[in-house]
């Protein structure tokens, strides 16, 4: 199975799509057709995480041999995760919380970024690439650290991360600026996440820069969530979760479930949609936004409009106004019509707004969008803590609050899988302040100790590590200086 661009262009293999990240025409790679799961749901119920990963990913990465793919999977989903379940599910207050934060940087980005370096270096080998691969990444906080951790000291690669200087949590920033590895480079940008992402996309699209890089023995690739090397591993945990719910007797094979996903760049929820299209019985895809509710407005009106104030919230990894992966859905509801999609994306680029047709909107009936305000998110952290002693991070709390709204609005009692995307330890200050304002005077690390005693969950290694780690990255730049930073790091 090959991949084609959402904006036309020639088909490429999976490994070529992973190497390129973005298509040459600026579009995103999509499977030429979505494959179907070739095992029964009962069979998936008997598989562990790695077995599930192989059975799902082999359908999407068809030019990888069994040996190559198993090598990647076995090296990714190992003791870097603090539980052999990899993605444990907790039943709390009427929902099933799938915890995707047991990897080395305690956010769901680890699910894909612990395997991407293996997929990418394997892809380079398969395609006789001799250049060093430069991973260029814009991050709203979590991707950056997870990508740095995944690529640090991987030979044949360098990684450059741009983050919004004042737009990530203190813990997220500390995690990044203390990153070790000769091949790592971290830069704070004087701008917001969309500025970082736009700057990175510009460099990807710059032909002259690509030539200069090639002359110096480099080529860019992307660890951002548009890379199918990230999307594919994210399909796995939906299939795995379904199997686990069957295995535990919570549902019968074939029963529908709803998936509730705290959404930013639309990668995680798109993976759930691909899982559904591949045959997993997901009924509704519930797209949860914070106050940057551009997706909620889109699902309600059919108008995507990024022209609005950018709100800095306590769920910074969802502070996004241009949800890149939505383009893949737009392409699909346009009837896989690259021209139609390109026109809409051009409008987005030029005017910041586009409107889909009624016919396209009718194809969105599997999705439900809503959002939670800062106040509702904080209140949900508190109510969950009081009901269950279970502490949600701010992103998961957005999803949980939206799920409550959905149930109140629709009365739908279908089993709900709520995707828990970060450990509360990553957003300790916001989380504790939601439970009780009295903790506010504490330092971040005192807060971690307090959270541990409140939640009865030990402090993760990822937090212990950065307590004393020295700051290794101090670079800061303006939005217009990003390319100069890249060149100086690569000594070009
Ligand atoms: C990245 C991230 C999200 C948003 O995921 P998308 O795939 O970008 O929609 C939500 N929560 C956390 C904690 C994240 O790191």
């Amino acid at each position: 199975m090959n991949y084609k661009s959402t904006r036309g262009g020639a088909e490429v293999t999976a490994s070529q799509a992973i190497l390129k990240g973005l298509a040459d025409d600026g579009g995103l790679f999509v499977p030429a057709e979505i494959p179907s799961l070739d095992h029964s749901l009962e069979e998936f119920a008997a598989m562990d995480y790695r077995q599930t990963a192989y059975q799902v990913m082999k359908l999407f990465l068809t030019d990888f041999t069994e040996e190559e793919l198993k090598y990647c999977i076995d090296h990714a989903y190992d003791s870097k995760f603090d539980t052999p379940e990899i993605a444990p599910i907790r039943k709390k207050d009427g929902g099933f919380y799938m915890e995707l934060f047991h990897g080395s940087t305690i956010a769901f980005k680890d699910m894909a970024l612990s395997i991407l370096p293996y997929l990418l270096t394997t892809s380079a080998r398969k395609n006789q690439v001799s250049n060093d691969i430069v991973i260029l990444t814009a991050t709203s906080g979590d991707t950056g650290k997870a990508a740095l951790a995944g690529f640090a000291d991987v030979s044949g690669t360098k990684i450059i991360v741009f983050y919004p200087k004042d737009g990530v949590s203190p813990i997220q920033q500390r995690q990044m600026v203390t990153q070790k590895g000769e091949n790592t480079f971290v830069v704070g940008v004087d701008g917001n996440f969309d500025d970082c992402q736009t700057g990175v996309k510009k460099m990807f699209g710059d032909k002259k820069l690509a030539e200069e890089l090639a002359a110096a023995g480099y080529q860019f690739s992307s660890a951002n969530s548009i890379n199918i090397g990230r999307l594919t591993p994210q399909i796995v945990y939906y299939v795995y979760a379904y199997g686990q719910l069957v295995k535990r007797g919570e549902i019968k094979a074939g029963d529908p479930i709803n998936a509730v996903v705290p959404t930013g760049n639309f990668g995680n929820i798109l993976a759930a949609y691909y899982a559904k299209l591949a045959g997993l019985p997901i009924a509704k895809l519930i797209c949860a936004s914070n106050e940057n509710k551009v997706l909620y407005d889109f699902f309600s009106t059919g108008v995507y409009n990024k022209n609005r104030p950018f709100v800095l919230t306590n769920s910074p990894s969802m502070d996004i106004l241009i949800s890149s992966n939505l383009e893949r859905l737009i392409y699909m509801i346009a009837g896989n019509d690259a021209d139609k999609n390109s026109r809409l994306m051009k409008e987005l680029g030029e005017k910041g707004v586009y409107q889909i047709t009624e016919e396209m909107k009718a194809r969105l009936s599997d999705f439900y969008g809503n959002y939670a305000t800062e106040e509702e998110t904080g209140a949900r952290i508190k109510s969950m803590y009081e009901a269950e002693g279970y502490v949600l991070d701010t992103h998961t709390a957005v999803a949980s609050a939206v799920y409550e709204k959905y149930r109140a609005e629709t009365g739908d009692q279908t089993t709900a899988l709520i995707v828990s995307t970060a450990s509360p330890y990553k957003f300790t200050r916001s989380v504790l302040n939601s439970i009780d304002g009295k903790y506010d005077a504490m330092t971040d690390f005192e807060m971690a100790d307090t959270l541990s005693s409140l939640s009865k969950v030990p402090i993760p290694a990822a937090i212990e590590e950065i307590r004393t780690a020295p700051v290794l990255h101090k670079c800061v730049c303006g939005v217009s200086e990003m390319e100069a930073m890249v060149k100086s790091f690569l000594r070009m």
Side-chain angles (χ1 to χ4, degrees), residues 144-189:
K145 178 62 187 185
L148 286 162
F151 283 97
D153 292 325
V154 172
S155 71
T157 73
K158 294 195 187 299
I159 171 156
I160 305 176
V161 169
F162 292 100
Y163 71 93
K165 186 164 69 64
D166 302 314
V168 300
S169 86
I171 299 278
Q172 286 178 315
Q173 182 168 25
R174 227 186 131 69
Q175 278 188 307
M176 288 190 279
V177 297
T178 56
Q179 177 65 46
K180 296 195 199 103
E182 283 298 311
N183 65 338
T184 65
F185 189 52
V186 180
V187 187
V189 176

Side-chain angles (χ1 to χ4, degrees), residues 62-134:
T62 50
D63 70 330
F64 281 62
T65 65
E66 176 170 353
E67 193 190 350
E68 286 168 341
L69 196 50
K70 286 190 171 164
Y71 166 84
C72 295
I73 290 168
D74 290 348
H75 284 78
Y77 304 111
D78 61 6
S79 59
K80 286 193 283 303
F81 286 78
D82 67 9
T83 161
E85 290 172 275
I86 307 295
I89 299 170
R90 320 255 183 236
K91 186 176 188 177
K92 300 287 177 193
D93 201 19
F96 291 89
Y97 289 78
M98 169 165 62
E99 295 185 350
L100 299 181
F101 55 75
H102 289 270
S104 55
T105 75
I106 60 176
F108 103 94
K109 305 295 193 289
D110 288 327
M111 302 306 294
L113 283 163
S114 41
I115 194 166
L116 185 66
Y118 296 100
L119 295 175
L120 197 63
T121 46
T122 304
S123 297
R125 209 164 38 241
K126 293 175 79 65
N127 291 280
Q128 287 91 39
V129 168
S130 55
N131 288 334
D132 270 12
I133 294 181
V134 180

Side-chain angles (χ1 to χ4, degrees), residues 88-99 380 384 390 392 396 399-401 403-404 416-420:
I89 299 170
R90 320 255 183 236
K91 186 176 188 177
K92 300 287 177 193
D93 201 19
F96 291 89
Y97 289 78
M98 169 165 62
E99 295 185 350
R380 185 58 188 135
M384 177 60 97
Y390 184 60
L392 300 171
T396 311
S400 186
Y403 175 54
E404 304 266 284
L417 184 72
I418 297 153
V419 182
S420 183

Side-chain angles (χ1 to χ4, degrees), residues 162 476-486:
F162 292 100
V476 175
C477 79
V479 175
S480 61
E481 295 160 333
M482 291 169 62
E483 183 176 326
M485 295 307 277
V486 168

Side-chain angles (χ1 to χ4, degrees), residues 28-50:
L28 309 193
F29 289 113
V30 287
E33 99 196 50
I34 308 265
S36 299
L37 298 176
D38 61 359
H39 285 270
S40 70
L41 298 168
E42 286 89 350
E43 285 171 312
F44 280 116
M47 291 183 203
D48 67 14
Y49 197 88
R50 292 189 199 185

